[in-house]
Amino acid sequence: MAVMPMFPLGTVLLPGGVLPLHVFEPRYRKMVTDCVESPDHEFGVVLIERGSEVGGGEDRRMVGTMARMVEVAQMPDGRFAVMSVGVRRIRVNAWLPDDPYPLADVDDWPDATESSDGAALLLPQVTARVRRAMALALELGDPVADPQTEVSDEPWLAVHQLAELAPLSVTDRFDLLCAPDTDHRLRLLGERLDDVEALLQMRLADS
């Protein structure tokens, strides 16, 4: 168990994902300063269930991702531009008083099992489906990355990268983060892509 600074957000960060932050609230400026001075430059990211990113008082999910700051630049007015990457999944045991910023007692939450040979076999099929969904979204003018964006050959990392790239809802991404292991995560991603592809095809037919 460890007490960690936390950044509740209206989005889901997955391991391997990139998180750019524009930090302007005084409490989070203090958090950035403290993280920069810490040995590992890490902080937790959790999804806001209800409420706003600004001002406090939001309801927070109990599962998130540990992020590591890799680039930090301070503006003349005191704001920070921070680039972070998701490192590993965490589970929140308890929220502590927000003093001076959100803090929580957290544990690392590794996958229940390592990826199997089945995951390696399923990965190319799911990757192709994500690329197809991205291409459909791009045709509709939705903001998505290049459908040919490279992903890892390692199933554990690749499925997180695909979940970041696919035109999924925040709820879908959170469910994928909470999946017990890579095998379940790949199958769940395939199930969610069924709905995504159907909706995109419907929108294309109506356009």
Side-chain angles (χ1 to χ4, degrees):
M1 293 187 293
V3 174
M4 296 297 300
M6 304 294 288
F7 209 134
L9 292 170
T11 188
V12 175
L13 175 66
L14 295 163
V18 176
L19 177 67
L21 292 170
H22 171 212
V23 181
F24 57 89
E25 281 192 83
R27 58 179 178 156
Y28 289 122
R29 292 188 197 182
K30 170 63 173 168
M31 191 196 81
V32 170
T33 300
D34 289 351
C35 286
V36 167
E37 293 175 353
S38 70
D40 50 19
H41 315 309
E42 290 184 347
F43 63 99
V45 175
V46 293
L47 176 66
I48 294 173
E49 190 167 11
R50 284 184 297 274
S52 169
E53 293 180 358
V54 180
E58 67 281 340
D59 292 333
R60 306 158 181 166
R61 298 279 189 162
M62 301 297 283
V63 173
T65 300
M66 193 63 68
R68 179 174 296 135
M69 295 180 182
V70 293
E71 291 183 22
V72 178
Q74 187 168 19
M75 311 302 177
D77 62 2
R79 292 175 298 146
F80 285 96
V82 179
M83 188 65 69
S84 305
V85 295
V87 180
R88 59 191 181 276
R89 185 170 62 165
I90 57 173
R91 197 196 316 252
V92 176
N93 300 310
W95 286 98
L96 307 178
D98 288 12
D99 186 15
Y101 41 72
L103 296 165
D105 178 355
V106 306
D107 283 329
D108 287 351
W109 188 21
D111 281 359
T113 59
E114 294 187 3
S115 57
S116 67
D117 292 342
L121 292 172
L122 185 58
L123 180 60
Q125 176 188 336
V126 175
T127 300
R129 292 189 62 195
V130 169
R131 295 194 192 286
R132 184 164 63 248
M134 292 171 69
L136 290 172
L138 197 63
E139 188 175 346
L140 286 161
D142 295 347
V144 292
D146 182 346
Q148 297 308 313
T149 300
E150 292 288 332
V151 298
S152 173
D153 293 328
E154 168 55 46
W156 177 86
L157 179 56
V159 67
H160 287 113
Q161 292 173 329
L162 291 170
E164 289 271 4
L165 291 169
L168 301 173
S169 69
V170 170
T171 299
D172 286 339
R173 289 196 176 94
F174 181 77
D175 290 345
L176 287 163
L177 177 65
C178 294
D181 52 41
T182 298
D183 293 58
H184 285 83
R185 200 167 286 121
L186 273 168
R187 289 196 292 272
L188 179 59
L189 178 54
E191 292 171 8
R192 298 300 165 90
L193 284 169
D194 290 341
D195 295 333
V196 169
E197 290 174 333
L199 179 60
L200 291 170
Q201 292 283 8
M202 187 182 306
R203 288 176 57 199
L204 274 173
D206 291 341
S207 62

